[in-house]
Amino acid sequence: MTEKKTYTIVIKLGSSSLVDEKTKEPKLATMSLIVETVIRLKRQGHRVIIVSSGGIAIGLRTLNLDKRPKHLAEVQAIAAVGQGRLIGRWDMLFGQFGQRIAQILLTRNDIVDWTQFKNAQNTFTELLKMGVVPIVNENDTLSVSEIKFGDNDTLSAITAALVGADYLFLLTDVECLYTDNPRTNPEATPILIVPDLSKGLPGVNTSSGSGSDVGTGGMQTKIVAADLATNAGVHTIIMKSSEPSNMFKIVEYMQTIDSEDSKIKNDTTLDLKKLQETELSRLKEGNIPLYTKFIANDNKHHLKNREFWILHGLVTKGALIIDEGAYKACTRKNKAGLLPAGIIEVEDTFHELECVDLKIGKRLPNGELDPAIPLKTVGRARCNYTSIEIAKIKGLQSDEIENVLGYSVSEYVAYRDNLAFPPH
Ligand SMILES: N[C@@H](CCC(=O)OP(=O)(O)O)C(=O)O
């Protein structure tokens, strides 16, 4: 008998899965079921990381506050109170099984430095090796908008990419995505498999946003998270949080079908509607609960560590507008660095090695940017020169840099390992 594959699994739980929206009382039953499921998964050899929201919601109740205050410092103080209790609850529940947990609180600042990004990675690896369940949340007490991940859906996708997870489970109040809102449209049908999110979700209505007032994420943030995670090679699953044991059934099912993923992903003639229908009957036959699976980009096409870090770990400070030729050279198989000759314009001010967006524009015969053609953001770069220096050397050959600036740091404005482009 062949041994079953084991996975690294990241599970994201929103505030509304862990805390009652109205009373802000803990949903201890759900938390217990999650703990039982994680223990079962671990006993099967899987490695599990939890991304748990709920710090602010728990802090509100602890301090007898009805509403989230507007003032940032107050929210940060509330988060400090709630986070301790939140992790205490997880520790108490996991402790019943003798399972050790670890708290990891992240802000974007913690990963903007490449060494720190690798450090975070090493810490996760060690914890998983020790058999510990890391429990991650945003460090709300210290993070302000510029250094925030924004919502825990995004944080969970970044965590999943950071640890090189096989699966990201986004637990929510619906069992799966539907082609429309099933509460208002009886014709809505489940979307069970999304082979390529870059091609969109035809007919899916995700505009309604968050349905709860204790969290910050809605379905839209889940789709963004799925895009981020699948681009980094992580399969992403949306499933209902009220029945955590379904996760175990879904993981067991994945072990039997994950060899089909690349076939589905690479089939250009795929009938998407038929795929959903066939899958629906297969789930019914096997008594498998509904869920939506976003298939990950395969090894060859997913973002590698450093590219992921540049695209999702860093905050951009400005932009370079480059021409089509430069874009092609920087994205071809044998990737080139970015030369000054390919740059048409510089936006905003930035220091060397800060991260900037790369946008494609059209160059007019006089060398200037054609304002009639809309710009398209295509990637990111960390530059060897400041915005002021690049403004002076844009459009020039590299051997002219020294004449213009009086020195030359490099012939490239950005080295190839400081350039990153999303896979599609
Ligand atoms: N970090 C915050 C939660 C932020 C968040 O994204 O919440 P949710 O939309 O419930 O996942 C907290 O612990 O309260």
Side-chain angles (χ1 to χ4, degrees):
M1 206 175 78
T2 53
E3 254 188 53
K4 280 187 184 166
K5 242 176 139 173
T6 61
Y7 303 127
T8 300
I9 300 168
V10 175
I11 304 168
K12 188 265 166 175
L13 295 147
S15 312
S16 56
S17 304
L18 303 172
V19 177
D20 185 276
E21 274 185 62
K22 285 206 183 75
T23 63
K24 310 278 187 293
E25 280 173 338
K27 291 188 175 174
L28 282 180
T30 308
M31 285 181 89
S32 302
L33 289 171
I34 288 161
V35 168
E36 282 172 25
T37 306
V38 171
I39 297 291
R40 282 179 78 194
L41 287 169
K42 285 199 78 291
R43 284 184 185 154
Q44 297 259 315
H46 304 291
R47 296 151 299 277
V48 183
I49 293 155
I50 295 178
V51 175
S52 169
S53 305
I56 296 171
I58 294 172
L60 284 171
R61 180 172 153 83
T62 310
L63 296 166
N64 283 324
L65 297 167
D66 286 341
K67 271 209 159 66
R68 190 185 166 118
K70 294 235 155 36
H71 194 232
L72 177 69
E74 277 179 83
V75 179
Q76 292 181 311
I78 291 165
V81 172
Q83 179 62 33
R85 285 210 144 176
L86 173 66
I87 208 74
R89 260 171 219 171
W90 283 121
D91 196 31
M92 183 264 290
L93 293 169
F94 274 109
Q96 304 299 316
F97 296 88
Q99 174 61 52
R100 290 284 139 243
I101 62 158
Q103 170 176 257
I104 300 194
L105 299 177
L106 289 173
T107 63
R108 210 175 261 283
N109 257 5
D110 299 322
I111 57 167
V112 291
D113 177 76
W114 177 237
T115 317
Q116 250 168 285
F117 182 86
K118 298 291 289 176
N119 270 345
Q121 228 160 19
N122 293 342
T123 306
F124 275 111
T125 309
E126 281 309 317
L127 286 169
L128 293 177
K129 252 201 250 162
M130 290 171 180
V132 171
V133 174
I135 302 192
V136 184
N137 195 0
E138 175 134 33
N139 194 350
D140 295 304
T141 299
L142 296 182
S143 56
V144 287
S145 57
E146 307 84 69
I147 56 160
K148 253 192 171 316
F149 290 104
D151 60 83
N152 275 6
D153 292 326
T154 306
L155 175 62
S156 68
I158 289 179
T159 305
L162 196 73
V163 300
D166 301 289
Y167 282 90
L168 166 64
F169 278 79
L170 298 169
L171 271 57
T172 183
D173 55 355
V174 292
E175 55 215 332
C176 64
L177 286 183
Y178 282 85
T179 51
D180 200 351
N181 186 346
R183 290 186 197 120
T184 52
N185 182 359
E187 308 278 288
T189 53
I191 305 229
L192 302 170
I193 304 178
V194 183
D196 186 351
L197 192 50
S198 68
K199 300 207 171 98
L201 293 167
V204 175
N205 184 0
T206 52
S207 56
S208 55
S210 174
S212 90
D213 74 346
V214 289
T216 52
M219 210 35 98
Q220 195 57 46
T221 58
K222 291 194 173 41
I223 291 168
V224 172
D227 189 40
L228 224 148
T230 50
N231 278 336
V234 184
H235 298 298
T236 304
I237 305 245
I238 289 179
M239 63 159 271
K240 203 172 174 124
S241 62
S242 57
E243 286 171 66
S245 60
N246 284 350
M247 205 163 13
F248 191 77
K249 291 186 199 155
I250 294 169
V251 169
E252 279 201 317
Y253 180 55
M254 290 304 136
Q255 288 173 316
T256 65
I257 61 150
D258 69 0
S259 58
E260 296 172 13
D261 289 336
S262 65
K263 220 166 69 204
I264 296 175
K265 185 107 196 159
N266 299 318
D267 185 349
T268 47
T269 60
L270 199 69
D271 179 341
L272 216 53
K273 197 160 177 254
K274 192 147 173 266
L275 176 73
Q276 312 305 327
E277 286 164 4
T278 319
E279 188 60 14
L280 185 59
S281 35
R282 212 156 66 151
L283 293 186
K284 277 187 183 153
E285 259 170 49
N287 202 17
I288 319 274
L290 293 187
Y291 62 87
T292 299
K293 176 176 182 180
F294 299 84
I295 300 180
N297 283 10
D298 58 28
N299 222 352
K300 237 175 36 214
H301 299 101
H302 76 67
L303 283 172
K304 302 298 172 296
N305 225 356
R306 194 170 165 93
E307 274 192 304
F308 183 86
W309 170 67
I310 294 172
L311 286 175
H312 303 294
L314 300 184
V315 179
T316 53
K317 294 287 163 79
L320 292 180
I321 301 166
I322 59 172
D323 59 27
E324 189 72 37
Y327 175 64
K328 281 202 179 122
C330 296
T331 51
R332 68 179 183 222
K333 200 164 168 230
N334 198 357
K335 189 173 163 185
L338 178 63
L339 294 167
I343 298 169
I344 314 174
E345 202 46 86
V346 185
E347 283 181 359
D348 297 322
T349 49
F350 48 87
H351 297 292
E352 64 268 34
L353 291 182
E354 281 190 324
C355 186
V356 298
D357 280 318
L358 293 175
K359 301 178 183 177
I360 295 190
K362 188 167 182 289
R363 196 194 291 274
L364 291 167
N366 66 3
E368 284 177 19
L369 178 69
D370 185 344
I373 308 292
L375 301 175
K376 190 171 156 221
T377 303
V378 288
R380 285 183 172 191
R382 292 170 79 229
C383 304
N384 295 322
Y385 294 96
T386 66
S387 51
I388 297 172
E389 291 167 329
I390 301 172
K392 290 182 187 161
I393 60 173
K394 65 180 192 295
L396 301 182
Q397 295 304 312
S398 296
D399 56 12
E400 295 174 86
I401 296 177
E402 189 151 1
N403 288 342
V404 176
L405 297 180
Y407 52 86
S408 169
V409 177
S410 161
E411 64 183 297
Y412 295 106
V413 168
Y415 295 122
R416 60 181 175 181
D417 67 351
N418 275 331
L419 294 170
F421 301 90
H424 45 76

